[in-house]
Amino acid sequence: MTDTTTTRRPAATDVDPMIDVRALDVAFGSTTVLHGVDLRLERGRTVGIVGESGSGKSTLAKVLVGTVKPAAGSVTVDGVDLGSAHRSALHAARRRIQMIPQDPYSSLSPRRTVAQTLAEAIDPIRPRVATHEDLISGWLERVGLSPDMMHRYPHEFSGGQRQRIAIARGLVIDPHLVIADEITSALDVSVQAQILELLAGIKESLGLTMVFISHNLAVVQRVSDEVVVLYQGEVVESGPVEQIYADPQHWYTRRLLDADPGSARFSLTG
Ligand SMILES: Nc1ncnc2c1ncn2[C@@H]1O[C@H](COP(=O)(O)OP(=O)(O)OP(=O)(O)O)[C@@H](O)[C@H]1O
Ligand SMILES: [Mg+2]
């Protein structure tokens, strides 16, 4: 392939993490939704965020993409302090952070072909399919779709295929950071595993830096290097995924693992 997306990123360094969140508080009105959250992610690594519904996972993701403002604390993403950066720096930073959405049915425009959707991601000002055809074909192949499907519309695809298209759209611009929020939860269980394998493979070959959000611990384990456990808006445990799954320290982490047969098996054998 001739595109540049296969380029590996520089090795992780301690001085320049992709994400550096410190003492983050987020409130909606008088309700505190995140409290004292610290999150650090080196380049080339994936952190899984787990926690039950309402624990604040999506809110944390929205803080990282800049759509939710902190009440307190500091948020630095890809070298940009989101609290103090100027508008143009924020705009540039946001483009380098790609969110892969949860719902493959509502996230793709029904009036655009797959090629038009990807061309628009590549160049929102002048979205020309012909100019980017090689890149678009290459990405469709990489996500397991045939390049000759590029002129079809979303309704001609299954949910799993649409999620492959959404992944291609998120990754085609070679983002510095990928945020995947429950990207398999709207899919059939059998399809979930395929999408997960696809993402895990791409992650390894490209050295993606990713925040992977799921309430399913087995799913998180498949793609993450580290895990952060959120409980009622606070981080109750964090660390390398093997360590946390094999030897959870917090009762809430244990409860999540016990409630999740896939990862509980791991904790017995691992
Ligand atoms: N825009 C908002 N206004 C008010 N409250 C909100 C808003 N967004 C989220 N919340 C509240 O913040 C808390 C955390 O929500 P969030 O969506 O981050 O949870 P989550 O962990 O992603 O849950 P789920 O697993 O269901 O997606 C919840 O109590 C939610 O009701
Ligand atoms: Mg959520």
Side-chain angles (χ1 to χ4, degrees):
M1 273 169 52
T2 54
D3 67 65
T4 56
T5 53
T6 49
T7 317
R8 276 187 178 270
R9 305 198 189 297
T13 60
D14 268 329
V15 290
D16 184 28
M18 179 64 76
I19 296 174
D20 194 358
V21 169
R22 296 184 192 199
L24 169 70
D25 288 357
V26 172
F28 293 114
S30 59
T31 312
T32 302
V33 167
L34 290 175
H35 186 65
V37 169
D38 292 318
L39 175 68
R40 194 181 162 88
L41 181 64
E42 303 297 337
R43 290 168 196 269
R45 309 272 293 171
T46 292
V47 62
I49 312 281
V50 298
E52 66 202 352
S53 184
S55 57
K57 306 181 297 294
S58 296
T59 302
L60 181 54
K62 288 171 189 165
V63 169
L64 296 174
V65 299
T67 56
V68 163
K69 298 282 169 234
S74 69
V75 179
T76 304
V77 181
D78 200 14
V80 176
D81 180 341
L82 298 188
S84 67
H86 288 291
R87 190 182 289 264
S88 60
L90 280 179
H91 185 77
R94 273 190 202 153
R95 189 164 155 72
R96 297 193 300 264
I97 306 168
Q98 285 290 308
M99 179 94 96
I100 302 174
Q102 173 175 2
D103 181 1
Y105 290 91
S106 62
S107 69
L108 299 171
S109 167
R111 284 181 298 279
R112 287 199 191 93
T113 65
V114 173
Q116 287 167 341
T117 289
L118 264 65
E120 197 186 26
I122 296 164
D123 186 352
I125 316 256
R126 297 172 73 207
R128 293 243 184 91
V129 171
T131 314
H132 304 291
E133 200 159 329
D134 288 348
L135 187 57
I136 293 168
S137 295
W139 265 102
L140 289 180
E141 274 183 338
R142 186 175 273 160
V143 298
L145 296 173
S146 164
D148 59 25
M149 293 174 166
M150 74 164 72
H151 301 298
R152 296 195 194 164
Y153 290 86
H155 75 264
E156 299 175 73
F157 294 93
S158 68
Q161 286 175 322
R162 288 181 203 210
Q163 205 53 313
R164 290 170 190 270
I165 296 163
I167 289 171
R169 176 183 57 184
L171 299 185
V172 71
I173 64 150
D174 202 12
H176 292 191
L177 175 64
V178 177
I179 299 180
D181 188 357
E182 302 277 9
I183 60 162
T184 61
S185 63
L187 305 173
D188 291 345
V189 173
S190 60
V191 182
Q192 287 183 5
Q194 293 167 15
I195 295 295
L196 209 58
E197 285 311 311
L198 171 71
L199 194 62
I202 294 175
K203 179 208 145 184
E204 258 146 50
S205 66
L206 299 190
L208 292 181
T209 310
M210 183 157 60
V211 176
F212 187 88
I213 297 172
S214 177
H215 60 274
N216 183 325
L217 276 80
V219 163
V220 164
Q221 184 185 11
R222 179 65 191 92
V223 292
S224 304
D225 305 299
E226 289 140 54
V227 64
V228 167
V229 182
L230 275 181
Y231 175 62
Q232 296 185 347
E234 295 192 38
V235 175
V236 294
E237 190 157 5
S238 65
V241 72
E242 321 81 53
Q243 184 188 317
I244 302 251
Y245 279 54
D247 188 22
Q249 297 299 306
H250 195 275
W251 65 266
Y252 179 67
T253 313
R254 275 185 233 124
R255 205 178 82 190
L256 285 177
L257 286 164
D258 287 344
D260 189 326
S263 46
R265 254 201 316 278
F266 176 87
S267 70
L268 290 174
T269 56

